[in-house]
Amino acid sequence: MSFAVRDPATGEVLDEVADAGPDEATAALDAAVDAQEAWAATPPRERAAVLLRTRDMLLTRIEEFALLITREMGKPLAESWAEVQYAADFLQWFAEEAVRISGEYRVSPGGDFRIVTTRQPVGPCLLISPWNFPLAMITRKLGPALAAGCTAVVKPAEDTPLSCLLLTQVLGEAGLPPGVVNVVTTSRPAPLVERLLADPRLRKLSFTGSTQVGRLLLAQAAGNVLRTSMELGGNAPFLVFADADLDAAVEGALLAKLRNGGQSCVAANRFLVEEPVAEEFATRFADRMSDVRLAPGTDPGSRLGPLINARQVERVAGLVDDAVTRGARVLTGGRAAGPYFPATALTDVPPSARIHHEEIFGPVAPITTFKDESDALAMANDTPYGLVAYLYTRDLGRAVRVGERLETGMVGLNRGLVSNAAAPFGGVKSSGLGREGGFEGIEEYLSTKYLALDLTS
Ligand code: SIN
């Protein structure tokens, strides 16, 4: 059985891929289990070399990868190029980390024995990646898994499996032994994932996707007490204080809203602006949003491609309609055009609007005002999500005060982009568990083994 992968801009079928079911998933895990011991025993420098060769091949073939990302996901080519670089950065970062996995040698407090710790790969992992960054979200998981000595079953999103398949081919060309990475493509993920999570040979789940699905997977993962890393939904506030550099705030707002067409868990979801500068910010921001050119991602002039599918267009349109019905004003955009949704700015959005409480995953910016710092913090933290917040101010004291009190895993201070392979990416509250990237990223794939050494006998 197979299923079609379509270009979201045209609906054209790009390819047909295997439609795996639970039995194929078990076969993939068999292969990962068989390969685990030898991969864990491969010297760290050799594991790193495979990652570095893969990184080099990604960059040599950047044009091919970028075009494939654009064709299956829809984002403009320039953003796909940036994604390939981002994906390659994870491979490089974790290749560098592979040789720094360390342990400890300590004298016990009573002096009667030695405490020796070592770090071991957790074992075969299930890596479930989303459609919004079809390449980078896979290397963000595979990089540390492979560096740590884990084998993997990878399940890419059904909308965008092609970049993952090409990556796997390149990993093989870079010298990755067979069975270390096993991709299962499927249009019916639930039974397949359920089968894998029930298999006691699986030791780890890493998932990026919605909080709703993350909760279900956590419940299933509880059966075998799996290690889990969960990168879930967000509802990022973008705070602009009256003392901010407004030029920088408008630039940062465009980046935080429009990167990936707003289809990102770190996209700014609520724009909260201090009253004295609210009108000026909204006017300048809406002006820039109205200039954003909608076109297929393959068009070199495209700034905003199609949304991933018709369901998503309908969802975003529903959120805008709800806000307008409740009294919001549309400054620019506001109406879907086929698979596209234009860059949209809304103002006077009442707190009750769904758009304040749900992740938009589209290029829509609801703008609201706040009175003072405590009002801003209360509004920003009024959500079960806690992934990222953006904060624009020139007052250092305020930056630290507010930065520390924002209930998020990440804060962009006078920056509209926090993502970087060298930084720990992740959230608190319902936005997830664990961190990806940074020094923390590889920890998610290692467990500490403690040896108690008695030297007396
Ligand atoms: C995501 O949207 O899931 C990740 C975005 C990023 O890494 O910047």
Side-chain angles (χ1 to χ4, degrees):
M1 286 226 297
S2 65
F3 67 98
V5 182
R6 291 177 189 277
D7 180 332
T10 60
E12 178 199 342
V13 174
L14 299 173
D15 211 341
E16 294 272 338
V17 298
D19 200 358
D23 291 345
E24 287 82 9
T26 299
L29 182 58
D30 292 345
V33 170
D34 288 349
Q36 178 58 56
E37 196 175 326
W39 183 245
T42 301
R45 189 70 81 192
E46 281 179 36
R47 298 201 299 263
V50 172
L51 293 176
L52 285 177
R53 280 195 294 272
T54 308
R55 170 215 179 249
D56 291 347
M57 289 160 85
L58 243 58
L59 294 179
T60 308
R61 293 167 67 173
I62 191 164
E63 209 163 326
E64 180 187 356
F65 270 100
L67 183 59
L68 190 57
I69 292 172
T70 288
R71 296 210 71 198
E72 68 173 343
M73 187 275 167
K75 70 181 79 175
L77 266 178
E79 290 201 51
S80 295
W81 276 66
E83 180 176 345
V84 182
Q85 180 66 62
Y86 188 35
D89 288 348
F90 285 111
L91 298 176
Q92 178 173 6
W93 176 263
F94 287 111
E96 289 159 352
E97 288 302 283
V99 294
R100 313 204 197 294
I101 298 166
S102 61
E104 282 187 344
Y105 180 94
R106 286 191 271 144
V107 179
S108 68
D112 48 343
F113 71 102
R114 301 294 178 267
I115 296 167
V116 179
T117 64
T118 183
R119 324 290 301 295
Q120 297 184 320
V122 294
C125 305
L126 172 59
L127 311 179
I128 304 181
S129 64
W131 51 261
N132 60 348
F133 289 87
L135 188 66
M137 294 304 100
I138 295 181
T139 59
R140 180 148 91 179
K141 296 180 190 308
L142 257 187
L146 296 179
C150 298
T151 61
V153 175
V154 182
K155 193 210 75 64
E158 47 271 39
D159 285 307
T160 58
L162 302 179
S163 308
C164 176
L165 291 171
L166 184 58
L167 171 70
T168 321
Q169 190 187 314
V170 169
L171 279 163
E173 290 165 20
L176 190 75
V180 175
V181 172
N182 308 277
V183 177
V184 282
T185 52
T186 182
S187 66
R188 298 154 294 132
L192 179 154
V193 169
E194 193 175 351
R195 167 81 71 87
L196 290 174
L197 294 179
D199 192 317
R201 299 172 302 164
L202 186 76
R203 295 312 318 143
K204 156 104 195 165
L205 165 67
S206 176
F207 169 73
T208 297
S210 70
T211 296
Q212 190 190 2
V213 174
R215 282 198 184 99
L216 284 174
L217 296 181
L218 277 172
Q220 290 174 14
N224 285 323
V225 195
L226 283 189
R227 284 278 293 270
T228 55
S229 304
M230 295 274 156
E231 293 297 345
L232 307 178
N235 183 358
F238 189 102
L239 303 172
V240 182
F241 283 91
D243 63 40
D245 173 343
L246 269 203
D247 290 333
V250 169
E251 288 308 319
L254 289 163
L255 179 58
K257 184 68 259 182
L258 294 181
R259 173 171 175 257
N260 226 37
Q263 299 174 106
S264 165
C265 53
V266 285
N269 215 62
R270 295 169 291 152
F271 289 80
L272 311 177
V273 188
E274 197 167 4
E275 277 172 0
V277 293
E279 202 171 320
E280 187 180 351
F281 173 84
T283 307
R284 287 165 64 173
F285 177 62
D287 259 16
R288 297 288 300 280
M289 292 282 271
S290 64
D291 281 346
V292 171
R293 178 151 179 261
L294 285 177
T298 46
D299 178 331
S302 171
R303 177 74 177 83
L304 199 54
L307 296 190
I308 186 69
N309 53 37
R311 250 188 351 270
Q312 191 54 20
V313 176
E314 216 172 284
R315 231 185 61 76
V316 173
L319 289 174
V320 171
D321 290 348
D322 170 77
V324 170
T325 309
R326 293 172 197 262
R329 276 190 303 125
V330 179
L331 296 178
T332 185
R335 287 218 167 279
Y340 298 91
F341 205 93
T344 296
L346 306 175
T347 192
D348 299 335
V349 182
S352 61
R354 278 172 48 212
I355 203 160
H356 272 164
H357 306 281
E358 296 179 27
E359 193 170 29
I360 303 168
F361 247 65
V364 178
I367 304 170
T368 310
T369 59
F370 64 83
K371 285 189 178 34
D372 56 25
E373 200 173 297
S374 72
D375 193 24
L377 269 167
M379 288 164 83
N381 289 336
D382 182 23
T383 168
Y385 296 104
L387 189 57
V388 65
Y390 303 92
L391 161 62
Y392 276 75
T393 176
R394 279 188 278 212
D395 176 335
L396 182 59
R398 165 177 286 150
V400 173
R401 244 181 354 257
V402 175
E404 286 180 356
R405 292 178 62 199
L406 283 165
E407 296 169 356
T408 57
M410 303 177 283
V411 177
L413 176 56
N414 296 324
R415 268 186 76 79
L417 178 68
V418 294
S419 310
N420 190 285
F425 185 104
V428 297
K429 295 161 78 177
S430 295
S431 287
L433 298 169
R435 294 293 180 266
E436 293 191 312
F439 299 118
E440 293 82 350
I442 198 164
E443 299 296 331
E444 305 275 324
Y445 296 88
L446 292 167
S447 65
T448 298
K449 166 74 67 69
Y450 152 50
L451 302 176
L453 283 192
D454 197 319
L455 306 179
T456 54
S457 50

